[in-house]
């Protein structure tokens, strides 16, 4: 986890040896204290590149070891309005939130914004963790209950009734 965070913070790349070593030893995360995993995962979410970082964790076999419930999202189809399955939609949401908060694209400049919001999202709310980090985490987990609530209505349309409450 730390390697992915440092890579992202400093603009490094993972060489194939390091990536293979991480992937081959990903099962060892079960021996790391949950508090340490939480802290490092939140630090990783706090740096820019949330979508890429989540995909890197997934590619190396780490993401679903940290949050096992995410595995159930993989391949869960959504209504035609959605481009991605639930798993990829949740990962992409972290990046969309990051772009919205940082206002990193010109298209976002048309959205009403008040300078207070910069302060609001950068406010530390717990143990060195900023509100923007927690919102990215919420984005990653926002559809976590879709697999268990998936159904079809009488027209055959996919529905996830109650997934927001259940999740």
């Amino acid at each position: 986890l730390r390697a992915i965070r440092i890579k992202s913070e400093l603009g490094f790349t993972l060489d194939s040896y390091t990536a293979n070593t991480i992937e081959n030893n990903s099962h060892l995360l079960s021996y790391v204290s949950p508090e340490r995993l939480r802290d490092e995962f939140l630090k990783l979410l706090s740096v820019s590149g949330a979508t890429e970082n989540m995909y890197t964790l997934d590619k190396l076999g780490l993401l679903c070891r940290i949050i096992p419930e995410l595995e159930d999202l993989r391949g869960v189809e959504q209504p035609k309005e959605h481009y991605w399955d639930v798993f990829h939609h949740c990962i992409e949401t972290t990046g969309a939130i990051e772009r919205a908060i940082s206002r990193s694209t010109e298209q976002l400049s048309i959205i009403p914004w008040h300078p207070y919001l910069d302060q609001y999202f950068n406010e530390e709310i717990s143990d060195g963790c900023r509100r923007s980090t927690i919102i990215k985490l919420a984005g990653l987990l926002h559809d976590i209950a879709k697999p268990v609530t998936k159904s079809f209505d009488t027209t055959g349309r996919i529905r996830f009734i109650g997934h927001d409450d259940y999740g």
Side-chain angles (χ1 to χ4, degrees):
L1 289 174
R2 189 167 293 150
I4 310 313
R5 178 178 54 84
I6 291 171
K7 171 193 90 62
S8 187
E9 282 179 335
L10 301 176
F12 292 166
T13 57
L14 285 181
D15 61 47
S16 59
Y17 175 80
T18 303
N20 288 333
T21 301
I22 293 170
E23 186 174 8
N24 291 335
N25 292 289
S26 63
H27 65 282
L28 297 175
L29 279 182
S30 63
Y31 296 105
V32 178
S33 76
E35 297 84 2
R36 180 170 244 151
L37 288 175
R38 177 204 58 213
D39 291 349
E40 198 60 49
F41 187 72
L42 289 174
K43 283 179 186 177
L44 180 60
L45 275 175
S46 74
V47 299
S48 63
T51 300
E52 179 187 342
N53 292 337
M54 294 303 107
Y55 280 126
T56 300
L57 288 178
D58 184 49
K59 180 181 174 193
L60 298 175
L62 301 172
L63 183 60
C64 292
R65 290 188 185 277
I66 298 166
I67 307 172
E69 296 83 357
L70 289 174
E71 187 63 45
D72 295 338
L73 307 182
R74 203 180 298 274
V76 175
E77 188 180 351
Q78 301 196 84
K80 63 182 178 180
E81 296 82 15
H82 292 276
Y83 180 78
W84 296 288
D85 67 357
V86 178
F87 180 79
H88 292 93
H89 166 75
C90 286
I91 290 178
E92 293 290 334
T93 298
T94 62
I97 290 168
E98 182 176 275
R99 288 186 299 279
I101 291 172
S102 67
R103 306 182 50 72
S104 62
T105 64
E106 190 174 317
Q107 294 89 344
L108 293 173
S109 65
I110 64 170
I111 297 172
W113 194 263
H114 189 278
Y116 166 78
L117 293 173
D118 293 323
Q119 177 185 346
Y120 177 79
F121 288 118
N122 284 312
E123 182 182 355
E124 182 181 316
I125 57 173
S126 177
D127 295 330
C129 193
R130 294 186 318 248
R131 183 173 273 116
S132 59
T133 302
I134 298 301
I135 292 172
K136 286 190 239 181
L137 178 62
L140 180 64
L141 302 176
H142 81 283
D143 281 341
I144 202 78
K146 278 193 170 180
V148 297
T149 60
K150 185 176 180 179
S151 64
F152 297 88
D153 66 16
T154 56
T155 67
R157 181 173 180 203
I158 299 170
R159 308 292 292 179
F160 300 100
I161 297 170
H163 80 278
D164 52 340
D165 291 328
Y166 191 76

